[in-house]
Amino acid sequence: MLKNLLIGVLIIGNLGIAYAQYAETDWKDRDNWMDVQQIFNYVGIEEGSMVADIGCHEGYISFHLSETVGNKGKVFAVDVREDRLETLNEIARKKGKKNIETILGDYDNPHLPKNSLDVVLIIDAYHEIREYKEVLSHIKKALKPNGRILILEKLKSEIIGKSRSEQTTAHSLSSDYVEDELLEAGFVDTQFYDKLGYWENNKEKKIWIIVGILSSS
């Protein structure tokens, strides 16, 4: 169950830790080192897209998605902590955003609507999901034909070459593990990107993205 596994903005760290750049007060600073629009471009998010943000925290990515998809689209913001979703809903009311729907997830199930999404994003959260096989299975069921999943992680220099469990304990993960897991889950193709700079401009934490593409059938 996704609870306790998705943390931070898309779930980070352990459940009791609040990291900077996840609270609304830190979002402007985060815009300085994360190229959100480029991330969206990799998976073709545009006006009218139906998307999900798994591990939404207070909504940094969700509100960027809301602006991009507009009133013709919809954002499903998923987290495992109800207090975070309550904060997100309050910010949405303050901003007048009506195209965001919050969902309280479980450890192994984000409870997304079936056969309805163009893109699912998991930003700096996949490394926290122990039940990733079950979560990927649910995501596949939520995506439309040709739907896409985008996973963004930071690879810390000190954990390169270490086991998956050692990497996730350090709240990091290599793209090699994720690519294999997406293909095993039934995504027919993957695309890799690593020209997005560094997490919080720290050159010991390189940002990478893998996009998994679902079959058209």
Side-chain angles (χ1 to χ4, degrees):
M1 299 170 155
L2 211 46
K3 260 172 188 162
N4 293 334
L5 298 173
L6 302 178
I7 300 182
V9 59
L10 318 182
I11 339 174
I12 302 180
N14 66 55
L15 284 169
I17 298 177
Y19 287 78
Q21 91 262 348
Y22 298 108
E24 184 185 10
T25 53
D26 300 303
W27 291 354
K28 287 185 179 180
D29 179 65
R30 185 169 177 176
D31 283 340
N32 292 326
W33 54 265
M34 177 168 278
D35 190 344
V36 175
Q37 191 55 56
Q38 182 60 61
I39 293 168
F40 294 174
N41 290 344
Y42 286 143
V43 281
I45 295 173
E46 58 189 4
E47 184 178 7
S49 293
M50 302 289 287
V51 299
D53 172 15
I54 293 183
C56 59
H57 202 270
E58 294 184 7
Y60 173 75
I61 292 293
S62 294
F63 285 105
H64 276 291
L65 287 168
S66 174
E67 289 288 334
T68 300
V69 306
N71 292 330
K72 294 181 180 179
K74 190 166 185 178
V75 180
F76 294 92
V78 183
D79 207 287
V80 297
R81 284 185 46 177
E82 193 167 7
D83 60 321
R84 290 173 175 167
L85 297 179
E86 289 172 353
T87 299
L88 192 156
N89 283 327
E90 181 57 35
I91 297 170
R93 284 191 289 270
K94 180 177 66 177
K95 293 179 177 289
K97 297 296 182 182
K98 298 182 179 179
N99 61 350
I100 300 176
E101 179 178 330
T102 55
I103 299 174
L104 184 63
D106 287 319
Y107 294 137
D108 60 352
N109 189 346
H111 297 298
L112 297 169
K114 291 182 172 57
N115 303 313
S116 60
L117 300 178
D118 298 298
V119 180
V120 172
L121 297 94
I122 309 178
I123 309 295
D124 192 39
Y126 186 80
H127 65 269
E128 298 289 346
I129 306 175
R130 296 177 188 173
E131 307 295 339
Y132 59 85
K133 291 182 180 180
E134 289 81 356
V135 171
L136 291 176
S137 176
H138 287 295
I139 289 172
K140 278 184 61 183
K141 294 173 183 176
L143 288 169
K144 300 174 184 177
N146 291 315
R148 301 186 175 212
I149 180 174
L150 182 150
I151 296 174
L152 180 151
E153 286 284 345
K154 57 183 181 294
L155 181 61
K156 297 179 180 179
S157 299
E158 70 267 20
I159 56 86
I160 293 175
K162 293 189 177 181
S163 69
R164 191 186 195 284
S165 61
E166 289 174 313
Q167 291 186 359
T168 57
T169 298
H171 305 293
S172 183
L173 192 57
S174 165
S175 60
D176 295 337
Y177 291 113
V178 179
E179 181 178 22
D180 289 345
E181 289 159 11
L182 288 177
L183 294 173
E184 183 180 350
F187 289 88
V188 297
D189 192 16
T190 60
Q191 299 169 345
F192 175 72
Y193 306 95
D194 66 349
K195 305 299 183 184
L196 284 142
Y198 302 92
W199 193 266
E200 297 181 312
N201 290 321
N202 183 339
K203 293 191 176 180
E204 299 301 313
K205 301 177 181 179
K206 186 172 180 60
I207 296 172
W208 60 261
I209 284 174
I210 283 185
V211 175
I213 305 169
L214 199 61
S215 170
S216 59
S217 59

